[in-house]
Amino acid sequence: MASLFHQLQILVWKNWLGVKRQPLWTLVLILWPVIIFIILAITRTKFPPTAKPTWDSSTWNSCDGWMAQIFFCISEEIDSRYRVMVAQ
């Protein structure tokens, strides 16, 4: 168990030496996520999320081009043509 803590201490010391020897790179590593977060926050405030309309059962028969309704509209059209042919 002492070996684990000793390895951790050496690893932290090695990391600290890297921070001390390369201050510019350390600054870049700290500022890069902050800059990305600021860009995302500004974008979110300029373009707030909008609520999408929920599915309504009254629009199911409208055949307005929704992908889920395409097959329904086609089958309804075929059924109506078939009924006309059978009635004649």
Side-chain angles (χ1 to χ4, degrees), residues 10-11 15 21 25 37 41 43 65-66 68 80:
I10 291 171
L11 188 61
N15 190 28
R21 290 177 183 162
W25 181 245
F37 178 76
T43 305
W66 287 66
S80 65

Side-chain angles (χ1 to χ4, degrees), residues 58-77:
S58 65
T59 62
W60 179 253
N61 295 326
S62 67
C63 295
D64 60 357
W66 287 66
M67 185 60 93
Q69 296 174 2
I70 288 174
F71 297 110
F72 178 77
C73 295
I74 291 172
S75 65
E76 201 174 66
E77 186 178 325

Side-chain angles (χ1 to χ4, degrees), residues 27-78:
L27 188 65
V28 168
L29 286 177
I30 292 171
L31 289 180
W32 181 246
V34 172
I35 291 170
I36 296 295
F37 178 76
I38 289 171
I39 291 171
L40 287 174
I42 290 171
T43 305
R44 177 73 182 230
T45 56
K46 287 192 180 267
F47 305 103
T50 57
K52 291 185 177 181
T54 58
W55 183 78
D56 185 11
S57 61
S58 65
T59 62
W60 179 253
N61 295 326
S62 67
C63 295
D64 60 357
W66 287 66
M67 185 60 93
Q69 296 174 2
I70 288 174
F71 297 110
F72 178 77
C73 295
I74 291 172
S75 65
E76 201 174 66
E77 186 178 325
I78 290 172

